[in-house]
Amino acid sequence: MSGVTRRSGASALLLPILSCALVLAMLVSVTIGRFDIRLADVVTILSSKLISMPSATWDGMAETVVMQVRLPRIFAAVLMGFGLSISGAALQGLFRNPLVDPGVIGVTAGAGFGGTLAILLGIGGYGLLVIAFGFGIASVVFVKFLASVGGRTSMLTLVLAGVVISAFFGAAISIAKLLADPFQKLPAITYWLMGSIASVGYADLILLCVAILPATIIIYMLRFQINLMSLGEERAQALGAPVATVRWTVLLATAMISAGVVATSGIIGWVGLVMPHVARAMVGANHGRMMPVCGVLGAIYLLLVDNLARTATTAEIPLGIITALIGVPVFAVILRKLQAGGGWGGD
Amino acid sequence: MIEVQDLVVSRGGNTILDGCSFALQKGGILAVLGRNGIGKTSLLATLVGTVAPDRGTCRIGGRPGYVPQLFNVPFSYSVLDIALMGRAARIGLFGSPGKQDYEAVRRLFALMKISDLEDQTFNTLSGGQRQLVMIAQALASECDLLILDEPCSALDYKNQSVVIDLLYSLCHDHGITIVFTTHMPQHAIEIATDALLINGKAAFIHGPVDAVVTSDNLSALYDVRIAQANFVGSDYFTYMPVLRQDR
């Protein structure tokens, strides 16, 4: 029966079940790849890092692959899937529009340009991260500046400003590509923009943690306020919500997440758009229940996508391509369902 | 309870209300009537505090609770989720509803006899049920003053009667002051103590409902002949428009 929100028993168990599934998926993911490692060895290697295990033995090569190659990558996929899904859920609530994702507020394009610029200037590593991050946050500030007229910001002008800023940075990326050396830097830029976590190391993981964890905690703490905002700003204000504070806190927190993701791995779209719909279908729309489920689902999803990316062919497929290939048809289905259900809550 | 003096309200650069004044006693019910787009909703928004007046004063002796015109929410919230949002003013920026919030809302549901709707999805309810849930949401804020924007529009007769009955009992049994807008003079006659007719941005008629809601005033207000209609066999009456000009 679709008219009943499933809140009781089953939905209380859903989050623990999904969390176990995530841990299991992470363990299995370590075994996947061209270098063959058994699950038992993975468990032994990981356990030996936590407790001393003098009697156990394992291949030294296997340890290097697990600890230096696969584990950082798996953690990165999990963190990014978690962060992107939660920021998508928060933005959809804030804009009261289920077709919004982190790209809408311009931060993805801004951070993308920052990274492109860094590659063009020959800056790599942490320098690239910092520049991409800086441009991502700057694009939100630009969007805020464009969208505020006489001290007031409407959601519509905010979305339009996001589109404008995205178009601007899109053009800027094209200029950077045009100027880039076509034999070395242009391929680097193009490949980076497609989104990949093949080269993620522990330094990138730290940056991902810094960008994603505090921001998702803040967003989760605002769960009730996001519920209020999804009724519309005037209504939220009439109910006593501090509308401006909530709006900008959520925007900055989601910008932080997207900028962190783009800075470490390029542009990975569609995760933040699709996952909230799956979570809502499972536990209803209340952001307090929905966002944790959404985050864990997103983590599992991006992890599986990354496994696919590194094993489907001998050459690695960029993540952004696979998330788009899966995301677009799902999006089309959602769009048609929403239209059949009578629109998606514009005024 | 409400004291409005020389209120001037504009939206988007246009003056909508110019020099509106009225007062309403605690425990009174004020019906606001006027054509579409004349400024009824803007007046309510000023009373609630979401629109600031350009000039004049608007004093409210208590906490207002607002029930907007019937609307859909973009997501599938449960009825309980929607009503709990009414507790916003009692829940901090980083908080979420606690045990006492759930208890307060469930008490209201019991009072309004809608406890069985609790787990249903708000958007799947009928218009009348949605209106009751929105009233529950406003009451959940423990307001002293209920402000409703066309609470009976788009409702069938039975649901109109349920809502009008509820408003009457909230006022008489629970001492809640009520302001509502309507297009049906009968709603005003049946439950309101006072009426405010808005006939233009600077043309207001305010007073006790019997003195203000008359066929002459209503005819001028809606620019169509409105006649008194008596209920056969009782001394109740209402006002109805005469829609064909040739009669």
Side-chain angles (χ1 to χ4, degrees):
Chain A
M1 191 177 152
S2 67
V4 174
T5 311
R6 283 139 280 180
R7 292 182 312 110
S8 44
S11 100
L13 277 176
L14 187 64
L15 194 57
I17 291 172
L18 283 174
S19 305
C20 291
L22 175 61
V23 173
L24 197 66
M26 287 172 76
L27 284 175
V28 172
S29 299
V30 185
T31 67
I32 298 174
R34 247 151 280 147
F35 187 88
D36 213 23
I37 305 174
R38 288 180 307 127
L39 188 59
D41 288 337
V42 172
V43 175
T44 315
I45 292 169
L46 292 180
S47 311
S48 76
K49 299 292 162 194
L50 301 172
I51 45 171
S52 94
M53 298 177 79
S55 60
T57 54
W58 59 84
D59 186 359
M61 181 70 177
E63 180 174 341
T64 310
V65 170
V66 170
M67 298 310 295
Q68 300 304 321
V69 181
R70 293 193 187 158
L71 218 49
R73 183 168 182 161
I74 286 165
F75 274 116
V78 165
L79 271 172
M80 293 191 310
F82 182 77
L84 286 174
S85 306
I86 287 188
S87 76
L91 286 174
Q92 290 180 5
L94 191 70
F95 288 98
R96 46 187 327 229
N97 186 336
L99 302 183
V100 163
D101 89 332
V104 164
I105 48 172
V107 61
T108 310
F113 171 70
T116 309
L117 188 67
I119 296 173
L120 187 68
L121 298 175
I123 302 168
Y126 257 97
L128 184 149
L129 302 186
V130 170
I131 294 175
F133 201 85
F135 271 93
I137 300 292
S139 65
V140 176
V141 176
F142 281 135
V143 166
K144 173 180 164 51
F145 175 74
L146 264 185
S148 302
V149 182
R152 283 182 64 91
T153 318
S154 83
M155 285 299 176
L156 183 67
T157 53
L158 205 58
V159 170
L160 288 176
V163 170
V164 169
I165 291 294
S166 292
F168 173 77
F169 280 120
I173 289 173
S174 298
I175 293 174
K177 280 177 161 177
L178 204 62
L179 295 175
D181 156 26
F183 296 104
Q184 286 184 338
K185 284 175 179 165
L186 185 58
I189 290 171
T190 308
Y191 195 71
W192 178 79
L193 280 173
M194 285 177 191
S196 168
I197 49 175
S199 56
V200 165
Y202 285 103
D204 305 293
L205 268 187
I206 291 171
L207 184 121
L208 271 179
C209 286
V210 169
I212 290 175
L213 294 181
T216 49
I217 290 169
I218 288 170
I219 289 174
Y220 180 69
M221 287 169 78
L222 288 170
R223 59 200 181 277
F224 181 68
Q225 304 292 337
I226 297 172
N227 281 351
L228 293 171
M229 295 294 277
S230 70
L231 295 188
E233 285 206 12
E234 269 203 10
R235 180 88 197 109
Q237 199 187 351
L239 286 168
V243 170
T245 311
V246 174
R247 184 207 299 139
W248 290 114
T249 309
V250 171
L251 280 181
L252 278 176
T254 53
M256 190 93 172
I257 293 170
S258 302
V261 169
V262 174
T264 46
S265 330
I267 294 174
I268 297 171
W270 300 97
V271 181
L273 186 92
V274 171
M275 284 304 126
H277 289 272
V278 182
R280 251 181 244 119
M282 287 176 160
V283 292
N286 185 336
H287 289 82
R289 280 191 299 274
M290 183 271 262
M291 288 198 301
V293 169
C294 181
V296 177
L297 276 175
I300 296 174
Y301 172 70
L302 205 58
L303 183 59
L304 297 183
V305 166
D306 185 51
N307 286 343
L308 195 64
R310 64 197 172 96
T311 54
T313 60
T314 45
E316 180 129 348
I317 308 171
L319 264 191
I321 293 179
I322 302 182
T323 55
L325 281 178
I326 299 174
V328 171
V330 175
F331 176 80
V333 171
I334 293 167
L335 192 66
R336 292 192 66 83
K337 250 181 83 177
L338 282 170
Q339 275 176 336
W344 53 80
D347 287 289
Chain B
M1 190 73 179
I2 301 180
E3 234 187 278
V4 171
Q5 274 292 334
D6 280 324
L7 199 66
V8 179
V9 177
S10 56
R11 289 184 106 169
N14 297 323
T15 304
I16 294 186
L17 300 169
D18 190 357
C20 182
S21 299
F22 63 90
L24 182 66
Q25 294 281 316
K26 186 170 165 44
I29 300 183
L30 174 71
V32 181
L33 290 93
R35 288 191 301 271
N36 290 332
I38 202 84
K40 300 189 294 294
T41 302
S42 297
L43 175 64
L44 297 193
T46 314
L47 292 179
V48 176
T50 50
V51 168
D54 293 3
R55 275 190 289 117
T57 56
C58 175
R59 267 197 291 276
I60 309 279
R63 224 195 99 69
Y66 181 57
V67 180
Q69 275 182 47
L70 217 49
F71 73 114
N72 267 318
V73 290
F75 304 114
S76 52
Y77 289 112
S78 72
V79 164
L80 188 64
D81 289 335
I82 293 281
L84 279 168
M85 292 182 199
R87 304 289 291 175
R90 302 180 172 270
I91 293 170
L93 180 65
F94 291 119
S96 66
K99 196 165 163 260
Q100 56 181 10
D101 299 307
Y102 279 87
E103 282 170 0
V105 165
R106 291 203 164 107
R107 268 200 306 276
L108 270 172
F109 281 177
L111 179 81
M112 294 169 68
K113 302 186 183 74
I114 53 171
S115 299
D116 55 321
L117 299 182
E118 192 182 295
D119 284 339
Q120 305 226 357
T121 302
F122 180 76
N123 282 341
T124 62
L125 301 182
S126 73
Q129 289 171 324
R130 260 182 289 160
Q131 197 59 266
L132 293 181
V133 175
M134 292 314 290
I135 293 173
Q137 186 193 62
L139 291 174
S141 68
E142 293 175 22
C143 58
D144 319 282
L145 167 70
L146 201 53
I147 295 171
L148 307 98
D149 198 1
E150 298 192 16
C152 293
S153 68
L155 300 191
D156 60 30
Y157 289 139
K158 173 65 189 170
N159 281 315
Q160 287 189 29
S161 149
V162 169
V163 170
I164 288 292
D165 249 354
L166 175 69
L167 294 184
Y168 186 78
S169 95
L170 285 174
C171 177
H172 280 256
D173 306 337
H174 302 277
I176 291 172
T177 309
I178 292 172
V179 176
F180 72 100
T181 59
T182 181
H183 285 299
M184 279 185 64
Q186 192 178 348
H187 297 156
I189 296 169
E190 290 210 13
I191 59 167
T193 54
D194 297 54
L196 172 69
L197 310 188
I198 306 180
N199 202 6
K201 67 181 176 186
F204 309 98
I205 305 174
H206 169 255
V209 70
D210 300 336
V212 170
V213 179
T214 63
S215 73
D216 287 347
N217 282 347
L218 291 172
S219 300
L221 187 68
Y222 289 109
D223 193 23
V224 63
R225 202 179 125 219
I226 293 183
Q228 182 171 327
N230 296 307
F231 294 95
V232 176
S234 83
D235 36 341
Y236 291 124
F237 62 90
T238 186
Y239 293 99
M240 298 295 282
V242 181
L243 297 178
R244 265 178 60 182
Q245 306 281 331
D246 56 347
R247 298 206 170 175

